[in-house]
Amino acid sequence: MNESLIYTYLLLVSVSFGCVLELQWCVCREVTLPAGPLYRVAGFSLSLPCTVSGYEGPRTQDFEWYLYREDAGGRQIAVVSTRDVGFPYAPFQGRVQAGEVRVERDSGDKARLIIQRLRPDDQGRYECYTPSTDTRFLGNYSSSVEVKVIPDTLLITHSRILSGQPVTEGTELQLTCAASVQSDQHTHVSVTFGVRSSGGAESLGHNLREIIAIDRELRVTPGHSGGYGKRYRDGEIALEKRKGDGARDLYVMKMSALAPGDSGSYFCEAVQWIRDPDGKWERIAQRTMELGNLTVQPLG
């Protein structure tokens, strides 16, 4: 090998080695958002976490959000900022001032864009930008994700409500809810029956109890409190899903022998779920139906 070729080879090795060292010791800013598209329901909330890493400077970083609507020709709409109260453009000014659109921090370098009640025109591509605190401009300073706002079609009804008349301990109780959702997206529905205690010192601070549920994966799960797990295993509490009229599903809860501690205000809750591209299940809509009050009188 001649001298010029040897020199060229050594030079290339030196440059490559220097680049490796540079990359090893380089701090590069990276901003990340969840993978999209994200489907959320109009009238319900959006919680969009944004994280920045590999930065220099203070541990508390600033965040700015922008929206690019599909019908706005790529125009940038400023939504909300952690450092500038005058940041939002007109479409978001009132909502930011009212606290309906805001930023919530999980830590100094992780913050969430919260929109409490999504509107159809909130659909678009959301960009999270972090202003630089670095000595050199390296890495990525923003990230974006597509958010689709779909109609609210979650319905919940009941066949009858409790009369409020006292019943005797040991009486059987049966309650029925109907739930349905019409969506072009693949979503699941869970239904939970629960009770709010009617009062008393023992109920203070914890007066809402889930009795039994059919979760988003069609598993029957008893509540964790009130001894419902044991009563479910003993066959005293059951929940069944049946086909109803049209697209409705019926959910029938049976309690074979009521106890005085079962007194309270009963409800049925339906939740619509979707699996996001990252594999996590997200609650996107929720409705609660009140089923009336029940008083169980002790025997004797």
Side-chain angles (χ1 to χ4, degrees):
M1 183 180 292
N2 62 39
E3 291 184 3
S4 62
L5 288 176
I6 293 173
Y7 175 77
T8 302
Y9 173 76
L10 291 174
L11 181 62
L12 288 172
V13 169
S14 175
V15 171
S16 299
F17 184 67
C19 288
V20 169
L21 287 177
E22 177 73 16
L23 289 172
Q24 281 184 329
W25 294 104
C26 169
V27 176
C28 297
R29 178 179 291 253
E30 183 176 5
V31 178
T32 55
L33 286 171
L38 302 177
Y39 291 89
R40 298 296 183 262
V41 175
F44 292 89
S45 65
L46 169 70
S47 176
L48 194 57
C50 181
T51 303
V52 58
S53 60
Y55 57 88
E56 298 176 301
R59 297 187 67 177
T60 298
Q61 294 283 296
D62 280 308
F63 295 83
E64 296 178 347
W65 270 269
Y66 298 91
L67 168 61
Y68 300 84
R69 288 177 177 158
E70 296 173 351
D71 59 355
R75 259 189 313 117
Q76 186 184 66
I77 301 172
V79 179
V80 67
S81 166
T82 58
R83 64 173 182 170
D84 182 2
V85 295
F87 182 80
Y89 285 6
F92 287 96
Q93 280 179 357
R95 298 167 75 185
V96 171
Q97 290 170 359
E100 180 186 337
V101 177
R102 61 184 184 274
V103 180
E104 291 185 358
R105 285 192 182 273
D106 295 334
S107 64
D109 52 17
K110 184 175 182 179
R112 294 174 179 270
L113 168 65
I114 303 292
I115 300 180
Q116 280 186 326
R117 286 175 290 277
L118 278 170
R119 303 173 182 177
D121 59 2
D122 290 332
Q123 177 167 295
R125 182 168 57 88
Y126 283 83
E127 179 186 27
C128 174
Y129 170 75
T130 60
S132 177
T133 57
D134 308 324
T135 55
R136 292 188 296 171
F137 196 87
L138 289 170
N140 105 13
Y141 286 73
S142 69
S143 182
S144 64
V145 62
E146 194 75 21
V147 174
K148 302 284 190 181
V149 181
I150 61 177
D152 174 16
T153 61
L154 179 63
L155 296 177
I156 181 171
T157 58
H158 57 74
S159 56
R160 70 179 186 88
I161 63 173
L162 296 165
S163 65
Q165 295 297 318
V167 299
T168 307
E169 180 180 0
T171 302
E172 180 181 284
L173 173 68
Q174 178 173 309
L175 295 173
T176 302
C177 276
S180 66
V181 65
Q182 300 291 325
S183 176
D184 293 335
Q185 307 306 314
H186 182 67
T187 62
H188 290 195
V189 173
S190 66
V191 169
T192 302
F193 285 86
V195 60
R196 299 180 186 89
S197 300
S198 53
E202 63 184 18
S203 71
L204 291 176
H206 189 64
N207 67 343
L208 188 150
R209 304 191 305 273
E210 292 184 356
I211 300 171
I212 196 167
I214 290 183
D215 68 16
R216 59 181 177 251
E217 296 175 349
L218 298 180
R219 297 173 300 197
V220 178
T221 56
H224 298 298
S225 62
Y228 296 122
K230 182 179 185 305
R231 293 169 75 180
Y232 171 69
R233 292 189 295 272
D234 291 343
E236 297 178 10
I237 301 174
L239 179 56
E240 181 184 355
K241 179 181 178 182
R242 303 172 183 170
K243 278 295 179 185
D245 299 332
R248 296 190 314 162
D249 290 317
L250 298 179
Y251 297 83
V252 183
M253 181 190 74
K254 292 181 181 179
M255 302 177 72
S256 62
L258 289 169
D262 292 323
S263 298
S265 176
Y266 281 72
F267 64 90
C268 175
E269 178 188 79
V271 177
Q272 183 182 6
W273 301 83
I274 195 167
R275 191 191 288 272
D276 283 344
D278 62 4
K280 295 179 181 176
W281 284 99
E282 188 73 24
R283 180 189 296 245
I284 57 174
Q286 175 180 326
R287 285 217 156 66
T288 301
M289 177 71 64
E290 300 298 329
L291 301 176
N293 296 315
L294 179 72
T295 301
V296 182
Q297 294 181 334
L299 287 172

